[in-house]
Amino acid sequence: IIPDKANIEFSGLFQTSGFILHYHLYAGSGNHPEPHYLNIESNVSFGSRLLFNFNENAKIGFSTYFDTIYYDRSNDTSSEHPNVVMTGPVKFKEKRASYAIDMDVTLGNFNMNGEYILNRNRSSLFNLFYRDFFYINLNYGLLKTLRLYIEFDRYRDKSPAPTVQFLIGNGINKFIFGVNFKPNWMTAIKAEINYDYISGLEREKNLRLLLGLSIIF
């Protein structure tokens, strides 16, 4: 019996003199939560991951994820699906496939890591549309306990749903400038400046200062 937030997984590794290949294959109950106000049935999901590790200084990974969502609002007239405004009973089926590539490279005190994710959706309501996301992070160890970093994130959603277009326009963009201080292995203090804006929606611009503390017990 598999819990709804766990998977059956088959994993292992191949090791050579030049690199280690880690592999993971898994199946589970789907990644879509079921809010109390929606009637959603999630199909079984499948996924895989390959990670090539070159002496810990260079890593590159490839991931996939597939699942199907069945949405039924026939008996619920008080709520809305988050991607579309609905005024009556609605049923639809959506097949989703995600593909990702990530990398992590370290050269001395410099480190660069990033990831790109493409989400392909085929819906009986919207036909075929795409979402994608990527981030790139460059950081530098100024001292043994102090690391500076910059990062750029971008998310785009090509769903034709009017609510999605209204909320995120042509995409959400974020620039991050930060410092990470670790006085010891169990404590981290972080401060960063975030500047984010939504393409096509000039009113949606924000500048934030964020502070964080992480303690490992």
Side-chain angles (χ1 to χ4, degrees), residues 114-178:
E115 183 172 18
Y116 175 77
I117 302 171
L118 175 65
N119 183 230
R120 183 180 187 273
N121 300 265
R122 183 173 292 279
S123 169
S124 58
L125 189 64
F126 292 132
N127 298 318
L128 180 64
F129 65 95
Y130 294 88
R131 301 182 177 103
D132 68 349
F133 165 81
F134 79 86
Y135 86 89
I136 186 74
N137 177 289
L138 178 65
N139 56 88
Y140 176 73
L142 189 63
L143 300 171
K144 187 176 181 179
T145 58
L146 187 67
R147 184 166 290 272
L148 307 177
Y149 60 92
I150 59 174
E151 181 174 319
F152 176 67
D153 304 350
R154 178 173 174 84
Y155 171 72
R156 293 179 296 183
D157 192 331
K158 298 301 184 180
S159 168
T163 49
V164 173
Q165 296 174 3
F166 175 78
L167 291 173
I168 71 170
N170 297 322
I172 302 174
N173 306 273
K174 180 185 292 186
F175 293 92
I176 301 173
F177 306 89

Side-chain angles (χ1 to χ4, degrees), residues 4 12 14 16 24 26-27 32 42 48 61 69 79 98 110-112 119-120 132 138 185-186 189 194 199 203 216:
D4 61 356
F14 292 107
T16 70
H24 305 264
Y26 56 87
H32 200 293
S42 297
S48 66
I69 298 299
S79 60
S98 295
F110 284 95
N111 171 265
M112 182 174 66
N119 183 230
R120 183 180 187 273
D132 68 349
L138 178 65
W185 70 270
M186 59 186 298
I189 302 171
N194 281 197
S199 300
R203 68 181 186 278
I216 301 174

Side-chain angles (χ1 to χ4, degrees), residues 16-158:
T16 70
S17 59
F19 67 90
I20 301 175
L21 169 61
H22 300 264
Y23 60 87
H24 305 264
L25 302 171
Y26 56 87
S29 58
N31 73 352
H32 200 293
E34 184 175 346
H36 68 280
Y37 55 84
L38 299 179
N39 178 17
I40 298 176
E41 295 181 3
S42 297
N43 199 4
V44 174
S45 62
F46 300 93
S48 66
R49 175 160 174 77
L50 296 175
L51 175 64
F52 295 86
N53 188 339
F54 300 88
N55 300 320
E56 297 297 327
N57 291 322
K59 303 175 184 178
I60 183 168
F62 304 90
S63 306
T64 60
Y65 184 87
F66 307 93
D67 73 353
T68 303
I69 298 299
Y70 300 92
Y71 180 86
D72 183 355
R73 187 174 175 262
S74 298
N75 299 317
D76 181 4
T77 58
S78 62
S79 60
E80 297 177 352
H81 184 271
N83 281 345
V84 60
V85 176
M86 296 178 293
T87 58
V90 172
K91 291 184 180 181
F92 70 88
K93 175 181 178 181
E94 183 171 294
K95 292 184 177 181
R96 304 183 301 183
S98 295
Y99 308 91
I101 179 172
D102 59 276
M103 62 84 186
D104 190 304
V105 178
T106 300
L107 295 173
N109 291 335
F110 284 95
N111 171 265
M112 182 174 66
N113 59 87
E115 183 172 18
Y116 175 77
I117 302 171
L118 175 65
N119 183 230
R120 183 180 187 273
N121 300 265
R122 183 173 292 279
S123 169
S124 58
L125 189 64
F126 292 132
N127 298 318
L128 180 64
F129 65 95
Y130 294 88
R131 301 182 177 103
D132 68 349
F133 165 81
F134 79 86
Y135 86 89
I136 186 74
N137 177 289
L138 178 65
N139 56 88
Y140 176 73
L142 189 63
L143 300 171
K144 187 176 181 179
T145 58
L146 187 67
R147 184 166 290 272
L148 307 177
Y149 60 92
I150 59 174
E151 181 174 319
F152 176 67
D153 304 350
R154 178 173 174 84
Y155 171 72
R156 293 179 296 183
D157 192 331
K158 298 301 184 180

